[in-house]
Each structure stands twice: as structure tokens, then as C-alpha cells.
Amino acid sequence: MNEEFFGEKRTSLGESVRTFDAFPKTRATYTTRTPRGGAITLLLLLTSACLTLTELRNYLTGSESHTFMVEPGIGHDMQINLDITVAMPCSSLHLNVQDAMQDRILAGELLSREEVWFDDAGAHKLYSEGADAETERRLFSSLVGKGAGEGGGSCRIYGSMGVNRILGDFHITAKGHGYWEDGAHIDHRSFNFSHVITELSFGDYYPKLVNPLDGVVSKTDENFHKFQYFLSIVPTTYESQTSGKSLLTNQYAVTEQSRKISSHSVPGIYFKYDIEPISLKISDRRTALLAFVVRLVNIVSGILVGGGWVYGLFGTLAGYFRRQRRTTDGMLNGRALGDEE
């Protein structure tokens, strides 16, 4: 090695400084690049990139912990949020809520209505039954045909309303069927309770909340058809460790029953809900930005340093075995020459 590379150097200001490096670098002329070293370097970089992306995803999404407990009490009210489109005119529909205390709420007076076209684009079935695509197209065509009148022939019902927080039944039926109304009677041939549920929730929304009935479509070509949804509502407390805020809401599980009924029964869409005696506490935690940066630095530096150690260890072992093999080969060759002499 040439000592002139370690002597004094002059800066542009003419000051003399002595070069000192706590981590001396090996000159390029003394290094040898090998395919194995390049492959290991690429592997280390890919590993660092994968772990960095995983850490970034965990930082953005956060982590949740779920704790179940016995519901300490029964609330007095609960909010229902609804956005549903039914393939019948708004003037033909009746909306009502009735609970276990026989309290009756005229939901039609609390929710808004709007005449629209029936459109199930982007909707899905609650349970995939492998329905024939041609049957689906036929049902959709018939709904569009029936809705070709003024305003589209279908009714969008949306809004929020407060109900008692007990066992209840929210349903949509035809006027004059199920409830007596003076002068109201709809022709049976106009019944079609095919529907698209854009939203059905109970209480306020919180991040990552999944409502099973959001975006669900159910169709029929029968006039007397009954759609029933049985909902099990779980009171839920959502706490954000980042903001320190707490939210009281609900989430639910659902099962469905859909069937053709006789002309003596009442067709419609029925949502039967019950309150579970347990509650769920969800705690959302997110890593602080400084801690996230420190974790990234530790991950990348740890992989690179650890990879360097492993590479050096393998190099040392490979050199040791090469020397052992050379010694063994020399001994065998020397013994063979001595035998010939």
C-alpha cells in the first residue's frame, strides 16, 4: 500500500488537515467482485425492501385488539341508517318499525324517498349460489321494463331514524297489505320487492367497520315474494389510541331467508334485529412516526450488518475447507511420488 494516500492533504482554503477515517476503506484495486457477493447483496436488498413495505403497511393500517365482555346495560335508543332501492314506485310502498314493546314507528315519515331507476351495477349477492347469468339478465331486463315509466319506477329510501334498542322488526311492504289504510290497495300484479341495499348500519361509522348488507342485491320475478334478514347486533365501543377518542356504535351479523309465498300472505322486505347480551371493545393502535422511522433504520441496518457477518462467516469457512482440501491433496500427491521412488 502506498503511504502517500494517508499523508496530509491540502484543502481549497489552504489549510492542512490530516485524513482520519474511523472506518477505513479498502482500495478498489484490492477488492475482488464475485457473482456470489453480488447475489447475496441483491438478496439482502430485496429482503430489506420486503420488510420495509411490510412495516409501512402496518404503520398505515395500524393494529386492532378485540375484547368481548358482558353488556353492562341496555341503552334506550339506537340509530338505523338505511339506503335501499326497491323496484316499485314510492307511492306503492309502506315503511314501518315495530319492536318487542309494541311501539310502532312510521318510518315513512322519518326517511326520505326518491323515484329512481333500478340499478344493481356493482352490487353482489349476500351468498353466492352460482345463479345462471342468463336468468340474472332476464330479471334485470324485466325490472328495467317495469321501471320505464315516469321517474324510473323504482324507489330509493334513505336516511336515519332512532328506534328502541330492543328486539324489533323493520319492514317494507305494499300499501294496503299488512296494514289497513283507507282507500289504499295496490294491484298484486305490480308487486316486485327486488331491491339493492346500498347501506344498512346501526349507529356511527368507524374505520374498518364492515356492514355485511352493504352493496347486496336480491331479485325476484314473483309478485308474492318475502325477503327476510335476521340481524344479530353487537354493541361496539371503538377507541383510537392515536386520537384518544371513543365511539359507541354497533356492528352485526346476518342470515337471510328468501322464498315465494301464497297470495294470502304479506310480501315484502323484513329486517328482524335482536341485541346480543355481549359487547365488543375495539382498540386501534398506530405506531408513532418517530418510532416508525427508528424501526425502519433498525430493520435495514440490521439486515445489512447481519448479512455482512453471514457472508464473512461463509467466506472464512469456505477458505478453511479449501486449505484443508489442498493440504490433503498435497499429502496424497507427495505420498504417491515417494512410493514411485
Side-chain angles (χ1 to χ4, degrees):
M1 299 179 64
N2 195 337
E3 295 296 331
E4 67 181 273
F5 294 104
F6 301 92
E8 293 185 350
K9 293 186 178 180
R10 298 283 181 176
T11 64
S12 59
L13 300 178
E15 298 177 353
S16 175
V17 296
R18 182 171 297 276
T19 303
F20 175 77
D21 192 350
F23 303 95
K25 311 298 187 297
T26 303
R27 294 183 60 189
T29 54
Y30 298 121
T31 61
T32 302
R33 298 182 179 181
T34 62
R36 183 181 62 182
I40 293 180
T41 301
L42 180 60
L43 178 62
L44 293 177
L45 293 177
L46 290 176
T47 304
S48 299
C50 292
L51 293 180
T52 299
L53 291 177
T54 301
E55 193 67 28
L56 178 61
R57 182 183 60 186
N58 293 336
Y59 170 73
L60 295 177
T61 59
S63 60
E64 288 185 353
S65 62
H66 297 73
T67 305
F68 285 95
M69 62 190 72
V70 177
E71 177 66 6
I74 300 178
H76 297 288
D77 54 18
M78 177 176 61
Q79 178 178 297
I80 298 180
N81 308 305
L82 179 68
D83 189 347
I84 184 173
T85 300
V86 184
M88 290 177 63
C90 293
S91 58
S92 302
L93 298 177
H94 181 91
L95 290 77
N96 188 54
V97 178
Q98 190 167 2
D99 57 35
M101 297 180 63
Q102 300 302 315
D103 286 347
R104 179 181 173 187
I105 300 174
L106 296 178
E109 299 178 0
L110 301 176
L111 302 177
S112 302
R113 305 190 192 191
E114 179 184 0
E115 296 286 344
V116 296
W117 291 93
F118 190 89
D119 184 9
D120 64 344
H124 62 277
K125 288 189 173 183
L126 181 59
Y127 303 110
S128 178
E129 301 175 353
D132 180 48
E134 182 61 32
T135 303
E136 290 293 314
R137 286 193 294 269
R138 178 174 57 82
L139 285 175
F140 181 73
S141 299
S142 65
L143 293 174
V144 173
K146 291 180 180 180
E150 181 180 357
S154 297
C155 183
R156 179 192 174 203
I157 305 168
Y158 61 96
S160 300
M161 60 181 174
V163 298
N164 295 323
R165 195 181 176 188
I166 57 175
L167 175 68
D169 181 1
F170 168 61
H171 46 265
I172 303 174
T173 57
K175 285 187 176 180
H177 296 266
Y179 296 94
W180 182 87
E181 294 180 67
D182 188 19
H185 186 80
I186 307 302
D187 187 358
H188 295 176
R189 293 171 297 180
S190 66
F191 289 175
N192 193 322
F193 287 96
S194 299
H195 58 278
V196 177
I197 304 174
T198 304
E199 179 188 357
L200 178 62
S201 60
F202 297 85
D204 296 329
Y205 175 82
Y206 67 85
K208 302 180 185 178
L209 174 62
V210 177
N211 298 311
L213 287 178
D214 286 2
V216 168
V217 60
S218 294
K219 300 179 186 177
T220 181
D221 55 0
E222 302 288 346
N223 297 126
F224 281 83
H225 200 96
K226 189 173 186 178
F227 297 95
Q228 289 181 296
Y229 298 96
F230 301 92
L231 312 175
S232 297
I233 300 176
V234 179
T236 302
T237 302
Y238 175 81
E239 293 183 350
S240 174
Q241 300 291 338
T242 304
S243 62
K245 295 182 179 179
S246 179
L247 175 67
L248 296 177
T249 184
N250 305 276
Q251 56 182 329
Y252 63 91
V254 59
T255 57
E256 177 204 16
Q257 185 181 57
S258 173
R259 70 184 190 278
K260 179 183 176 180
I261 59 177
S262 69
S263 58
H264 300 290
S265 302
V266 181
I269 307 170
Y270 296 80
F271 300 93
K272 300 179 181 293
Y273 55 88
D274 192 8
I275 312 299
E276 295 294 331
I278 60 174
S279 62
L280 175 63
K281 180 179 179 181
I282 300 177
S283 298
D284 186 11
R285 296 181 177 86
R286 292 180 182 271
T287 305
L289 179 60
L290 180 59
F292 168 68
V293 174
V294 172
R295 287 174 65 92
L296 284 184
V297 173
N298 290 338
I299 288 174
V300 176
S301 60
I303 290 176
L304 296 180
V305 172
W309 289 348
V310 173
Y311 180 72
L313 177 62
F314 275 109
T316 301
L317 292 177
Y320 171 77
F321 286 116
R322 280 197 300 269
R323 289 192 298 270
Q324 290 293 106
R325 187 173 59 220
R326 289 172 184 172
T327 302
T328 304
D329 293 343
M331 292 177 63
L332 291 175
N333 292 334
R335 182 178 303 171
L337 291 174
D339 293 340
E340 292 178 359
E341 293 177 359

